[in-house]
Amino acid sequence: MAAASGTQSILNSDGFVRLTRLVGRVLLYGLLIVMSLWFLAPLFWMFMSSFMPLDQVGVFPVQWIPRVWMPENFTEALKFWNFGTTFRNTMLVTVLSIVGDIGSCAIVAYGFARFRFPFRDTLFLILLATLMLPFAVRLIPVYAAYEAIGWIDTFYPLIVPAFFGNAFYIFICRQFFLGIPQDLLDAAKIDGASEVRIFTQVMIPLAKPAIVVIAILSFQNSWNDFLGPLIYLKDPDLHTLAIGLYKFTSLPGQGGIYNQQMAASTMMVLPVLIVFFLFQKQFIQGANISGLKG
Amino acid sequence: MATSFGSQFSAMRGRRRERWRDLSPMRKREAKMGLLFISPWIVGVLLFSLFPFIASFLLSFTKYNIVQPPEWIGLEHYNNIFTDDPLFLKSLRNTGVYVGGSVAIRIVLGFALALLLNAKVRFLGLWRTLFYLPSVVPIVALSVIWLYVLNARAGLLNSLLYAIGLPRFRWFADPDIAMIGYLIMSTTWVGVTMVIFLAGLQGIPEEYYDAAKIDGANVFQRMLRVTIPLMTPTIYLNILINIINAFQVFTQIFIMTDGQGGPRDATRTYVLHLFDHAFQYLPPQMGYSSALAWILFMIIFFFTAVIVTTSQRWVFYQGGEND
């Protein structure tokens, strides 16, 4: 990119400009390829080594193609790692969290976007400020409270908070609602629609793009969550995929079976990658909105 | 476009504060509906933010092990933290290294990658997807993968260093370089910062560059006088988000060192230390841990305040571009 436009120099001939442009482009794409390799090599190796025989994983320098393909690494990993149960638990927590996040955040965002009430802007600033509160500050009292009401070793601590709104998702949804023209609402009001009807039958269908972004972020959040399940779920029957994978890799005596650990990691990563490829646009949008929040 | 903190504040100042009793009956009905809609969040913020915020402050003055009720001991924990806990300072220093290193990596590398992608490349969407991809991988899986990337005997990184003729390192065994391993791992999430920068770069009107070119500005002058000033709001925001997050680094180090922060506490971060006292000690030291949490809150608050207040001097907002 850089060299392409140094046109005011004495070397202004057509040939020189074209040459620098060419060199610039080659450098540019070279850099992009090197960086892509840097980002993707660890994931590619995870995938390849999950099919390797164990002794091949420890070879130096690293090898990329399995000497023999061993799909049995996956079935072996499944034996130790209770995939069925952990998968079901993770799905349960994830689906209910998505439902809670979408419902509560759309409702709250609509309240902030479309009604005037005293202290509305102050409350919204408080909402933004909670984004900066370190999780370590909440951790202990919230844990103690769950302990007191007997919610340790249940899924409630991982699901219930979603039904009370997430500051970041509310922000996303509010920005979207603010962009919907007021005329549409006025028309519905003149037709005699109630606030609740306007919300459910006019606004929600219009807000679908924002809701998809929230669903994706919420999915990613629950599926990847480690700390929550780690402290709240002690019973192995309640473990989620993240905890299952962690326990599998840290079992005494399991430290060496890299190929099966990579097979287990592959099984946990694949669903996320599939969702990512299906909804790339929404993932990128989600990241972008976090760039706008300030 | 963006609603910045600055514009939120000025919007507030501009409006006259409304009082409940001055509202007309119709406005009262509207206000009631609005409050009804936001009520889930009001309950949520009280339960999940305000209550723990105050409770952890109070608990920090008590001895508390969850089983027995908290016992008031005044400033004892704070006293112990500052005079009798060598791991406090050590973990703070480790965290400082991670914050400095990882924020620098994410800002510099993220900005550089965004500039590359903004240079009218072909297949922009494809590159962006490839760079963003590692960020969506669950952190447990990433940690398992990076255990082998950084493996001293047969790891990917040492294989790479060997291939280009550099010495190999014992990433997990050598206390002097253990943190550097996690800094290298932190490049995994550069894609998130890059995507935000790229959106900012794409928002700079082409005419600014055309005008600069007509004035005879070369590539570097355009970068220094057009791109960087116009990107300061995005840079500011990325620094803020990344610093707040980096101070709380925990999960990958917890998984990769089995909760120990080894070797010899060289990667024990602040939150790992705090977590240790609350959830790994027997009996749990929840009061001590709360004191640590509040010190962390003050540290993060201090940095946020410094960045926010100095931002007026170096962050450049285009007039009328916001909202």
Side-chain angles (χ1 to χ4, degrees):
Chain A
M1 52 122 224
S5 14
T7 41
Q8 93 275 28
S9 70
I10 352 156
L11 296 159
N12 216 348
S13 72
D14 249 18
F16 185 77
V17 170
R18 226 176 301 149
L19 184 70
T20 45
R21 186 164 302 203
L22 183 72
V23 172
R25 288 276 125 177
V26 169
L27 271 175
L28 171 64
Y29 286 104
L31 268 173
L32 289 177
I33 290 168
V34 168
M35 288 316 294
S36 306
L37 291 177
W38 172 263
F39 286 120
L40 297 181
L43 288 172
F44 181 68
W45 191 74
M46 168 195 79
F47 184 75
M48 291 315 241
S49 61
S50 66
F51 290 100
M52 286 180 189
L54 183 54
D55 64 307
Q56 198 189 356
V57 181
V59 172
F60 182 87
V62 88
Q63 297 193 353
W64 295 92
I65 310 295
R67 200 174 53 226
V68 274
W69 290 78
M70 293 180 58
E72 56 267 38
N73 288 341
F74 286 82
T75 45
E76 283 298 312
L78 288 177
K79 266 189 217 158
F80 291 98
W81 181 33
N82 200 344
F83 185 82
T85 311
T86 51
F87 184 79
R88 212 184 45 234
N89 292 340
T90 309
M91 283 304 282
L92 179 78
V93 170
T94 303
V95 169
L96 288 177
S97 300
I98 293 175
V99 170
D101 274 328
I102 291 176
S104 62
C105 295
I107 291 171
V108 173
Y110 187 65
F112 275 117
R114 287 293 164 185
F115 299 94
R116 288 165 297 175
F117 47 87
F119 301 111
R120 183 185 65 180
D121 297 328
T122 315
L123 287 172
F124 195 72
L125 268 183
I126 293 174
L127 180 128
L128 291 180
T130 60
L131 285 170
M132 293 194 204
L133 193 61
F135 74 85
V137 173
R138 312 173 199 226
L139 190 64
I140 288 157
V142 170
Y143 180 86
Y146 287 143
E147 171 92 31
I149 57 174
W151 277 14
I152 304 299
D153 263 336
T154 71
F155 292 129
Y156 296 128
L158 305 176
I159 297 168
V160 172
F163 286 82
F164 293 93
N166 168 303
F168 178 39
Y169 306 158
I170 292 171
F171 177 83
I172 294 175
C173 217
R174 170 185 171 268
Q175 294 301 96
F176 195 86
F177 282 140
L178 286 177
I180 293 175
Q182 183 70 35
D183 307 1
L184 262 167
L185 299 174
D186 294 340
K189 260 183 203 161
I190 290 165
D191 291 346
S194 69
E195 286 297 349
V196 177
R197 251 186 88 115
I198 294 175
F199 175 66
T200 54
Q201 303 196 343
V202 182
M203 294 306 266
I204 292 289
L206 282 172
K208 227 168 93 190
I211 288 172
V212 175
V213 171
I214 292 176
I216 300 267
L217 292 173
S218 174
F219 160 77
Q220 210 189 346
N221 210 25
S222 294
W223 190 272
N224 298 0
D225 187 18
F226 176 75
L227 184 62
L230 177 71
I231 58 176
Y232 296 129
L233 306 174
K234 294 179 179 142
D235 181 351
D237 286 339
L238 299 178
H239 281 172
T240 58
L241 282 173
I243 300 300
L245 182 57
Y246 169 63
K247 295 280 178 198
F248 178 56
T249 54
S250 60
L251 274 177
Q254 304 285 308
I257 44 171
Y258 304 158
N259 52 352
Q260 291 180 26
Q261 292 177 7
M262 289 303 157
S265 303
T266 303
M267 285 188 273
M268 185 176 183
V269 171
L270 272 184
V272 183
L273 291 190
I274 291 168
V275 173
F276 176 65
F277 279 113
L278 289 178
F279 296 99
Q280 284 174 53
K281 220 180 82 197
Q282 283 81 5
F283 270 89
I284 305 283
Q285 269 174 356
N288 271 335
I289 298 165
S290 70
L292 300 185
K293 93 180 143 216
Chain B
M1 184 180 80
T3 39
S4 61
F5 273 128
S7 65
Q8 292 282 349
F9 278 115
S10 50
M12 270 180 67
R13 268 201 305 271
R15 212 165 294 147
R16 208 153 34 85
R17 176 135 295 152
E18 292 167 311
R19 284 188 213 177
W20 190 263
R21 60 166 186 269
D22 301 337
L23 297 179
S24 69
M26 226 178 99
R27 287 288 312 277
K28 264 188 191 149
R29 218 175 48 232
E30 182 186 343
K32 274 184 198 156
M33 274 316 270
L35 289 168
L36 189 68
F37 269 93
I38 69 161
S39 58
W41 172 74
I42 303 243
V43 176
V45 81
L46 293 177
L47 286 179
F48 301 114
S49 294
L50 190 67
F51 152 71
F53 184 66
I54 294 168
S56 64
F57 181 67
L58 295 175
L59 283 176
S60 73
F61 302 106
T62 68
K63 224 184 174 106
Y64 183 44
N65 63 9
I66 288 266
V67 185
Q68 284 144 332
E71 176 197 335
W72 190 268
I73 54 164
L75 288 169
E76 197 181 308
H77 288 320
Y78 290 95
N79 202 17
N80 286 343
I81 288 171
F82 290 119
T83 59
D84 200 27
D85 183 357
L87 288 180
F88 162 73
L89 269 186
K90 180 145 198 174
S91 66
L92 195 58
R93 204 168 49 228
N94 293 339
T95 308
V97 170
Y98 187 83
V99 172
S102 73
V103 174
I105 286 171
R106 287 179 71 155
I107 299 294
V108 173
L109 194 57
F111 197 72
L113 289 177
L115 283 174
L116 288 183
L117 291 191
N118 198 41
K120 301 191 180 72
V121 292
R122 272 159 183 269
F123 314 117
L124 168 66
L126 173 76
W127 299 113
R128 195 175 53 186
T129 301
L130 292 182
F131 294 169
Y132 192 78
L133 187 85
S135 319
V136 305
V137 174
I139 191 152
V140 182
L142 272 177
S143 304
V144 176
I145 297 168
W146 275 82
L147 271 173
Y148 305 120
V149 173
L150 296 174
N151 183 296
R153 201 167 48 82
L156 262 63
L157 187 59
N158 274 353
S159 297
L160 173 69
L161 292 175
Y162 177 75
I164 55 178
L166 292 173
R168 295 178 255 167
F169 293 96
R170 291 156 67 231
W171 297 105
F172 293 118
D174 184 346
D176 294 334
I177 59 162
M179 214 56 189
I180 296 175
Y182 292 102
L183 288 178
I184 296 172
M185 182 183 176
S186 79
T187 58
T188 302
W189 298 282
V190 159
V192 181
T193 311
M194 177 208 73
V195 163
I196 298 172
F197 275 137
L198 183 59
L201 287 171
Q202 287 171 339
I204 299 178
E206 196 65 32
E207 300 92 76
Y208 289 12
Y209 291 113
D210 296 340
K213 269 186 216 167
I214 292 166
D215 291 346
N218 66 30
V219 177
F220 300 103
Q221 287 165 330
R222 290 203 297 271
M223 171 68 62
L224 220 61
R225 307 266 177 221
V226 180
T227 312
I228 292 193
L230 287 175
M231 286 296 286
T232 47
T234 317
I235 296 171
Y236 162 60
L237 187 79
N238 270 325
I239 290 178
L240 206 57
I241 298 176
N242 282 320
I243 282 189
I244 294 174
N245 287 336
F247 263 112
Q248 303 180 68
V249 58
F250 169 75
T251 310
Q252 65 270 41
I253 298 180
F254 179 87
I255 294 171
M256 292 165 76
T257 66
D258 228 351
Q260 301 304 308
R264 279 186 271 133
D265 295 309
T267 63
R268 172 178 288 261
T269 63
Y270 194 92
V271 174
L272 199 69
H273 188 49
L274 179 160
F275 185 87
D276 219 7
H277 280 276
F279 295 100
Q280 309 204 88
Y281 272 52
L282 277 174
Q285 303 186 340
M286 297 278 179
Y288 192 84
S289 194
S290 298
L292 286 172
W294 259 80
I295 294 171
L296 179 66
F297 170 70
M298 300 302 250
I299 294 171
I300 293 179
F301 186 83
F302 171 76
F303 276 91
T304 310
V306 167
I307 295 166
V308 170
T309 47
T310 57
S311 73
Q312 284 155 349
R313 259 180 277 158
W314 62 272
V315 175
F316 171 80
Y317 286 105
Q318 277 173 285
E321 191 249 352
N322 281 333
D323 296 38

